[in-house]
């Protein structure tokens, strides 16, 4: 197997086992801070991946880079401002992915700023030699891509994703009642949407376009580090 392909899937597996638990822990912890201990009582304030992983969402992460974990149970009525609290709890998950992507980008740039990182890139591009340091460079690069992809995917305003729960901050009880009655149909529509989305060429896929734009911003954020090396 090509080393780049291997590291891409390794990064996705690492995201599934480390970053998704962080994503769900962020939901549970935020809800607890806002007054709802439902998730805490079910053991969801943890980095243990087995408490969070969803089989279908995990499979999609490995195959496409987009996916989800088991939703964290939240009771917004236990929060002081339940709609705003629900939105903040939902936003905490994608925010944790963006922070993880930024952290990976800083590590990536830090490696490139060292002599070992410079030599590793030179050995690969000039001598076609793959070193452990170059593998670390590729791994952090893919971690940025996967984490940004997860954040963008989870911000889609469709159930059961976080973007839908953020959207509900701006809707009323009439919409809540409609969703409660039709949630089965909406969920089926979501699955159809995901299937159709994955048939769209990456050049025209809105998720890839937005993800690439966000990655460009993150790389610009850390671009000064290798330059500072001199």
């Amino acid at each position: 197997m090509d080393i780049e392909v291997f590291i891409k899937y390794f990064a996705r597996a690492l995201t599934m086992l480390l970053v998704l638990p962080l994503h769900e822990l962020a939901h549970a912890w935020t809800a607890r801070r806002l007054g709802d201990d439902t998730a805490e009582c079910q053991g969801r304030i943890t980095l243990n991946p087995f408490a969070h992983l969803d089989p279908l969402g995990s499979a999609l992460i490995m195959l496409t880079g987009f996916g989800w974990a088991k939703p964290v149970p939240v009771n917004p009525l236990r929060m002081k401002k339940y709609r705003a609290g629900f939105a903040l709890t939902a936003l905490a998950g994608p925010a944790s992915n963006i922070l993880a992507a930024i952290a990976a980008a800083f590590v990536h740039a830090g490696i490139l700023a060292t002599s070992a990182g410079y030599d590793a890139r030179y050995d690969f591009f000039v001598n076609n030699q793959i070193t452990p340091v170059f593998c670390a460079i590729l791994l952090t690069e893919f971690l940025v891509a996967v984490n940004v992809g997860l954040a963008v995917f989870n911000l889609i305003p469709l159930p059961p994703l976080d973007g839908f729960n953020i959207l509900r901050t701006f809707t009323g009880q009439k919409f809540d009642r409609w969703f409660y009655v039709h949630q089965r149909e909406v969920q089926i529509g979501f699955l159809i949407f995901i299937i159709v989305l994955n048939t769209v060429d990456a050049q025209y896929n809105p998720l890839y376009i937005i993800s690439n734009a966000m990655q460009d911003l993150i790389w610009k954020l850390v671009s000064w580090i290798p330059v500072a090396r001199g």
Side-chain angles (χ1 to χ4, degrees):
M1 179 184 291
D2 183 85
I3 187 64
E4 189 170 350
V5 175
F6 172 79
I7 291 179
K8 177 174 70 174
Y9 284 102
F10 181 76
R12 289 178 180 179
L14 197 62
T15 299
M16 185 175 65
L17 295 175
L18 295 179
V19 180
L20 273 185
L22 176 65
H23 178 108
E24 300 306 325
L25 182 150
H27 285 315
W29 182 84
T30 303
R32 182 66 186 88
R33 295 288 296 177
L34 293 172
D36 175 28
D37 64 352
T38 305
E40 182 183 30
C41 292
Q42 296 190 21
R44 300 299 297 276
I45 302 183
T46 177
L47 286 173
N48 179 3
F50 297 104
H52 302 294
L53 295 184
D54 175 87
L56 179 58
S58 299
L60 279 175
I61 288 175
M62 293 304 297
L63 293 173
T64 69
F66 297 102
W68 60 85
K70 188 165 55 178
V72 166
V74 176
N75 183 358
L77 295 178
R78 303 187 67 178
M79 303 174 184
K80 291 181 180 179
K81 296 181 179 180
Y82 76 96
R83 286 194 180 274
F86 199 33
L88 287 173
T89 300
L91 185 61
S96 72
N97 287 128
I98 295 299
L99 290 175
I102 292 172
F106 269 101
V107 173
H108 178 91
I111 295 173
L112 292 180
T114 65
S115 297
Y118 179 86
D119 292 342
R121 290 195 67 183
Y122 179 86
D123 288 339
F124 178 77
F125 289 110
V126 177
N127 303 321
N128 200 28
Q129 180 180 349
I130 298 173
T131 65
V133 175
F134 187 75
C135 289
I137 292 171
L138 285 180
L139 177 60
T140 51
E141 186 175 323
F142 280 122
L143 281 173
V144 171
V146 172
N147 276 283
V148 170
L150 281 172
V152 172
F153 178 78
N154 275 282
L155 286 172
I156 295 175
L158 291 174
L161 301 176
D162 298 325
F164 178 73
N165 294 327
I166 296 171
L167 175 66
R168 291 177 71 177
T169 306
F170 308 100
T171 61
Q173 294 183 355
K174 185 176 180 180
F175 177 80
D176 292 342
R177 289 192 295 269
W178 179 90
F179 175 68
Y180 181 79
V181 172
H182 299 282
Q183 57 182 320
R184 177 72 175 174
E185 293 91 331
V186 172
Q187 290 169 355
I188 293 173
F190 169 75
L191 290 176
I192 295 172
F193 171 78
I194 294 301
I195 293 171
V196 172
L197 192 64
N198 278 285
T199 64
V200 178
D201 187 271
Q203 183 179 356
Y204 306 103
N205 191 313
L207 290 186
Y208 285 100
I209 294 172
I210 296 172
S211 294
N212 289 336
M214 291 188 67
Q215 288 180 60
D216 288 342
L217 288 175
I218 290 174
W219 290 122
K220 287 178 182 178
L221 177 67
V222 302
S223 62
W224 59 272
I225 295 177
V227 174
R229 175 180 178 271

